[in-house]
Amino acid sequence: AWHGMNELRQRRASRGSEDISEPLLGGDSAGYGSTPMGTDDDEDAPFDLWHWLLSLLASLGLCDRPSPRLTPTQRRRLDEIAARVDVPYDSHEDSHRASLLELWKLTFPNDPRPAEFVDGGLKHPKWKEMGWQGVDPATDFRSGGLLSLHNLIWLATHERGVYDKLLRKTDGARSEWEYPFAAAGVNVTHALCDELQLRPTRPRRRGGNGGNRVAPEEGQPHAAYSPAPNAPAAVAFTHMLRKRTGVKDAFERVYAAWFEALDREWLDRGATYMEFGEVMNATRKKVRGALERAGRRNGGCTVEGLREELGLK
């Protein structure tokens, strides 16, 4: 019975987003501006008796907590982000290679394009200076996929000071055996997708614009890849997807905050390379708690609120 009620609630929620067609992100790899999402909020989600009953029963410990009712804008934007998750980096895909070359230019702006790139290969020893574990970054994208590359490009483009600080390890007393910056960024992307419950539930297309668009199902303008989250931290993130108070690059802003918190945790512990896993796990717990606390604030979770809870400037 509960399964049937849940399906009915999900069908109602999905119908509410079918007439929304405005894309969340542009087709380029780094064009995720931080402009407000709109001038006025969506209407509240309509009253759902089943959701109300499940919420009541959950408060009594009789069933699992139901997912929140999302507005059409939140639903669409969550799907847009989820559609980018787990898209693998493909070294044979021109748009993926172009993004990797863009990262090279952003990281080494005074270094001309290496001759090794001319023949189509993107292998070069200088990648190691950025924190890739070998001469070919493609081998390090497995856990974070193309999204992790886009996140690094976004950080270099929109938070240049943070990017340089983390890349060059300019804060604090550093270890003789530091964590590799770029590989750490891939791990942050992967962990953040898990924490925000963004793993897709349906197949998506590969290649093309790199997963920035939702691949529509037949007869539908958008396909819902990710169910509405129910973990408190993930629910708090959906507050950042609201039309009036959210920002287009909410995911990237949380990514940046996580990466900064990771580096601070590393310094506080005086950690070395072999302790990276412990540092990442500790940072995950802190980001999760910060999201939950920010979500309980008046008006809900915001990027600014999250950073305050993490003690970041």
Side-chain angles (χ1 to χ4, degrees):
W2 300 125
H3 177 71
M5 286 190 283
N6 205 34
E7 283 189 338
L8 176 60
R9 176 178 57 79
Q10 290 175 347
R11 287 199 299 270
R12 288 177 175 176
S14 66
R15 283 201 299 267
S17 63
E18 287 178 358
D19 61 345
I20 301 296
S21 58
E22 177 193 354
L24 170 64
L25 300 170
D28 60 296
S29 61
Y32 313 145
S34 58
T35 55
M37 286 183 167
T39 56
D40 40 21
D41 260 327
D42 293 330
E43 295 180 1
D44 291 336
F47 177 75
D48 188 324
L49 176 60
W50 296 124
H51 186 276
W52 181 85
L53 286 173
L54 287 172
S55 297
L56 177 62
L57 293 172
S59 69
L60 299 174
L62 299 177
C63 69
D64 293 336
R65 181 201 307 268
S67 298
R69 292 177 298 140
L70 303 178
T71 67
T73 296
Q74 286 175 303
R75 172 74 274 169
R76 174 174 53 83
R77 285 170 173 155
L78 188 66
D79 287 346
E80 290 278 0
I81 298 171
R84 299 163 57 202
V85 175
D86 288 343
V87 175
Y89 176 83
D90 186 349
S91 59
H92 300 291
E93 177 67 46
D94 288 343
S95 63
H96 296 196
R97 289 156 46 84
S99 293
L100 187 57
L101 182 56
E102 182 179 2
L103 183 63
W104 171 280
K105 293 177 180 178
L106 288 167
T107 307
F108 309 114
N110 299 320
D111 205 324
R113 177 170 171 162
E116 289 89 335
F117 282 22
V118 174
D119 295 330
L122 295 180
K123 298 179 181 180
H124 195 277
K126 197 173 180 67
W127 283 119
K128 292 183 180 181
E129 296 180 19
M130 186 185 168
W132 300 106
Q133 299 184 65
V135 299
D136 184 5
T139 62
D140 286 345
F141 285 127
R142 293 189 184 94
S143 65
L146 186 65
L147 180 58
S148 60
L149 173 57
H150 287 173
N151 286 161
L152 288 167
I153 291 173
W154 182 92
L155 194 64
T157 304
H158 297 279
E159 293 287 349
R160 187 69 208 196
V162 173
Y163 185 84
D164 287 338
K165 177 183 70 174
L166 296 174
L167 170 65
R168 309 191 192 288
K169 308 291 198 303
T170 56
D171 273 2
R174 311 304 305 200
S175 168
E176 292 185 4
W177 198 5
E178 278 288 323
Y179 67 85
F181 162 73
V186 173
N187 277 279
V188 170
T189 297
H190 182 269
L192 182 57
C193 290
D194 283 345
E195 200 63 40
L196 299 183
Q197 298 181 305
L198 291 172
R199 295 296 171 196
T201 58
R202 302 178 188 173
R204 83 198 61 70
R205 65 185 179 194
R206 296 179 57 183
N209 58 19
N212 285 356
R213 294 282 186 269
V214 175
E217 291 184 346
E218 185 177 355
Q220 294 185 359
H222 291 281
Y225 286 112
S226 178
N230 58 6
V235 171
F237 172 71
T238 65
H239 301 170
M240 301 183 191
L241 305 180
R242 293 169 177 164
K243 186 173 183 180
R244 182 170 60 86
T245 58
V247 291
K248 284 186 177 180
D249 52 4
F251 180 86
E252 287 77 13
R253 295 289 175 186
V254 178
Y255 166 87
W258 185 314
F259 213 153
E260 290 179 79
L262 172 71
D263 192 66
R264 187 181 61 187
E265 183 72 18
W266 177 273
L267 290 173
D268 289 346
R269 289 172 174 249
T272 62
Y273 180 82
M274 297 303 293
E275 298 172 281
F276 179 80
E278 296 177 18
V279 173
M280 175 61 82
N281 288 334
T283 305
R284 178 196 285 262
K285 292 178 181 178
K286 289 186 176 180
V287 173
R288 180 190 304 151
L291 280 166
E292 292 175 1
R293 293 190 300 275
R296 292 192 292 268
R297 288 187 174 197
N298 185 31
C301 184
T302 63
V303 175
E304 293 77 13
L306 171 63
R307 293 186 66 84
E308 288 177 6
E309 293 292 346
L310 286 170
L312 300 173
K313 296 180 180 179

